[in-house]
Amino acid sequence: MGLLSLAIWVPIGFGALLLAMGREGQVAAVRWLALLGALLGLLVTLPLYDGFKLGTAAMQFVEKTIWIESFNVYYHLGLDGISFWFVPLTAFITLIVVIASWESVTERVNQYMGAFLILSGLMIGVFSALDGMLFYVFFEATLIPMYLIIGIWGGPNKIYAAFKFFLYTLLGSLLMLVALIYLYNQSGGSFDIATWHKMPLGATAQTLLFFAFFAAFAVKVPMWPVHTWLPDVHVEAPTGGSAVLAAIMLKLGAYGFLRFSLPVTPDAAHEWAWLMVALSLIAVVYVGLVALVQTDMKKLVAYSSVAHMGFVTLGFFVFNELGVSGGLVQMIAHGFVSGAMFLAIGVLYDRVHSREIAAYGGVINTMPRFAAFALLFSMANCGLPGTAGFVGEWMVILAAVQSNFWIGLTAATALILGAAYTLWMFKRVYLGPIANENVRSLSDIGSREFLILALLALAVLAMGVYPRPFTDVMNASVTELLRHVALSKLN
């Protein structure tokens, strides 16, 4: 079994084993088994970095075997510089979530941990799939464990949130399925994504395919105006669900644009780039303003995620290397920062059982160690230089300025808005005198919470100070993607 298959099936196997365990009397064993599964899931991804060859856009770690012979569907896996970093990122966030949920989840622990491990393997499958039908199966299968995580362990309106999440994402994906079947027929019966990249398609076909893919991927990102499901889901989802949703699941849609929309429909991507840029800028500015008026911490960070993901799609559709690389870097950085922000909110919620900003005030007086971590993550969310949050946004802004000064200027306002809503929340929650008895009785973070926040802090700082390992991996693949898109445009 290859490394990518191990990265996919190790967590899924442990997840299935957890589901087979009883609910009662084995909670300690369940937690340790989940931790072992998450840790092994991360460890099997580490050799990928050592074996990855820089300077080539070719797919690496390729595995290919027939799956459904009658329809020419293959179990076909591989990584290039565009998809590489999302595999270890997914495994890392899963490990963090398992540790973070150690004490907070007390009901159906085996099902909760099992759902996260299965979800981890399925998301890695999405980033690794080189067969269109395999991609679709993994892409859709991720909905099932996340739907259960929200619907079983969520808040008071969890059923509404879970249904809204499932309905939005499934309806968009059905149009993608139609697009995949059309490409299968046009290619003479092949689901090979690389084959689709080379197919000559007419203007009308490209436009229809582009919007079919847009329906699936824009909802997943989510782009304005199909973002409305995200705040509701984040508010109701358990802390681990919010962390994985923001850190990884939103990236599935953005990744789809690079794997399908740009290379398969390059002419339509150029033609409709103005629309993608406009929607991205609305997300950056308007949704940032919406975040300013939120009173719920989770909802504020949820809107913040929409604004930050607007940078990603903006970077992709200005069609230069700096922009696409910046969008990819922003995806990875947002994985670290947004995951950390939601987990920090979870630390407070576990103690006070409220997400309302007004329920806090002066937390720094009783939880100084925790407040230090929260300050770092807040600064990263603002895009402070030296943190992961700065690198991708700055690259995208520079790329946007190269494309059009006014686009770059509009995008740059996000740095101001991000600082406004994030620091305004930090001030009201953490600074000043102790505001109420709930805060006065708080205890600072213990060793387990310190560990997960420290790991995320190290990731945020390491990427902010030295992003080169991330950019070096993606450069060749980004260059080849843009060469392919530009060549198609010339033809």
Side-chain angles (χ1 to χ4, degrees):
M1 186 178 286
L3 286 174
L4 285 179
S5 286
L6 285 173
I8 293 169
W9 297 107
V10 164
I12 290 178
F14 273 91
L17 184 59
L18 286 167
L19 294 180
M21 298 178 70
R23 296 185 196 172
E24 307 297 334
Q26 303 180 47
V27 173
V30 162
R31 287 172 175 155
W32 284 106
L33 186 62
L35 179 61
L36 177 62
L39 185 59
L40 287 177
L42 176 60
L43 289 177
V44 297
T45 67
L46 299 183
L48 293 171
Y49 183 74
D50 185 57
F52 191 86
K53 297 176 183 176
L54 301 178
T56 175
M59 289 292 171
Q60 303 181 45
F61 313 105
V62 174
E63 303 173 36
K64 187 174 183 180
T65 185
I66 194 70
W67 178 26
I68 307 174
E69 190 170 0
S70 57
F71 291 100
N72 207 22
V73 179
Y74 283 83
Y75 177 77
H76 190 188
L77 306 175
L79 294 178
D80 63 358
I82 290 172
S83 56
F84 173 82
W85 277 110
F86 299 107
V87 173
L89 174 65
T90 302
F92 174 72
I93 294 296
T94 302
L95 176 62
I96 293 292
V97 166
V98 168
I99 300 172
S101 307
W102 200 262
E103 295 177 356
S104 59
V105 177
T106 57
E107 295 181 359
R108 300 184 178 184
V109 180
N110 65 313
Q111 296 175 11
Y112 181 87
M113 297 294 190
F116 273 108
L117 288 173
I118 291 171
L119 178 60
S120 175
L122 294 174
M123 291 189 295
I124 290 173
V126 174
F127 293 122
S128 306
L130 299 182
D131 181 278
M133 186 51 63
L134 183 66
F135 175 91
Y136 182 79
V137 169
F138 279 131
F139 191 85
E140 290 299 277
T142 60
L143 300 182
I144 299 170
M146 182 54 77
Y147 176 81
L148 295 174
I149 288 166
I150 299 165
I152 296 175
W153 295 276
N157 293 320
K158 57 190 178 185
I159 302 302
Y160 163 77
F163 184 74
K164 191 173 185 180
F165 161 76
F166 197 89
L167 190 64
Y168 264 70
T169 49
L170 180 65
L171 288 177
S173 300
L174 290 176
L175 287 176
M176 179 175 70
L177 178 60
V178 173
L180 297 180
I181 294 172
Y182 174 83
L183 289 168
Y184 171 78
N185 290 326
Q186 289 297 110
S187 63
S190 174
F191 278 109
D192 183 57
I193 296 174
T195 300
W196 294 349
H197 290 180
K198 300 170 186 174
M199 283 172 48
L201 294 168
T204 302
Q206 284 201 34
T207 299
L208 293 173
L209 288 169
F210 179 83
F211 282 104
F213 287 130
F214 174 85
F217 302 142
V219 169
K220 205 83 163 186
V221 169
M223 296 181 69
W224 185 90
V226 288
H227 67 289
T228 55
W229 63 270
L230 187 68
D232 290 334
V233 169
H234 271 309
V235 167
E236 299 303 326
T239 299
S242 287
V244 169
L245 180 64
I248 309 297
M249 285 201 77
L250 304 188
K251 313 306 182 292
L252 302 181
Y255 172 74
F257 281 121
L258 292 186
R259 192 56 83 213
F260 289 91
S261 300
L262 266 66
V264 175
T265 62
D267 296 333
H270 275 286
E271 182 179 351
W272 294 99
W274 65 269
L275 176 63
M276 301 298 292
V277 169
L279 295 179
S280 300
L281 290 176
I282 292 173
V284 167
V285 179
Y286 168 71
V287 178
L289 291 171
V290 173
L292 267 173
V293 299
Q294 300 306 311
T295 59
D296 183 302
M297 289 187 289
K298 259 194 164 184
K299 190 168 279 192
L300 187 151
V301 178
Y303 280 114
S304 170
S305 289
V306 177
H308 285 111
M309 289 302 291
F311 269 102
V312 173
T313 48
L314 175 62
F316 291 169
F317 285 89
V318 295
F319 296 106
N320 64 43
E321 289 186 33
L322 193 61
V324 176
S325 296
L328 283 168
V329 169
Q330 174 69 356
M331 287 166 71
I332 301 163
H334 182 259
F336 292 135
V337 176
S338 65
M341 292 286 287
F342 280 113
L343 289 169
I345 293 170
V347 169
L348 292 175
Y349 184 81
D350 287 343
R351 288 161 168 76
V352 180
H353 301 292
S354 175
R355 293 182 299 267
E356 290 296 318
I357 295 173
Y360 299 90
V363 171
I364 196 171
N365 296 287
T366 52
M367 302 180 70
R369 290 198 301 172
F370 171 66
F373 283 117
L375 177 61
L376 171 63
F377 300 140
S378 296
M379 290 298 179
N381 202 52
C382 297
L384 181 75
T387 66
F390 172 77
V391 183
E393 290 188 3
W394 183 243
M395 291 171 71
V396 171
I397 289 171
L398 288 178
V401 169
Q402 291 176 10
S403 175
N404 182 291
F405 172 78
W406 296 108
I407 292 175
L409 180 64
T410 305
T413 61
L415 299 177
I416 301 169
L417 290 171
Y421 58 69
T422 306
L423 296 182
W424 178 230
M425 178 181 72
F426 185 85
K427 174 188 177 295
R428 289 179 288 171
V429 172
Y430 295 94
L431 301 183
I434 294 175
N436 53 58
E437 291 304 313
N438 288 336
V439 174
R440 194 178 303 279
S441 61
L442 291 178
S443 58
D444 211 343
I445 51 175
S447 56
R448 178 183 56 83
E449 293 167 324
F450 185 91
L451 173 64
I452 60 174
L453 296 176
L455 288 172
L456 286 165
L458 286 173
V460 167
L461 290 172
M463 188 175 185
V465 173
Y466 192 62
R468 186 171 175 178
F470 298 91
T471 55
D472 281 354
V473 165
M474 61 184 66
N475 283 341
S477 296
V478 168
T479 301
E480 176 59 24
L481 171 65
L482 290 174
R483 187 199 65 79
H484 170 78
V485 172
L487 187 65
S488 176
K489 181 67 176 174
L490 291 173
N491 291 337

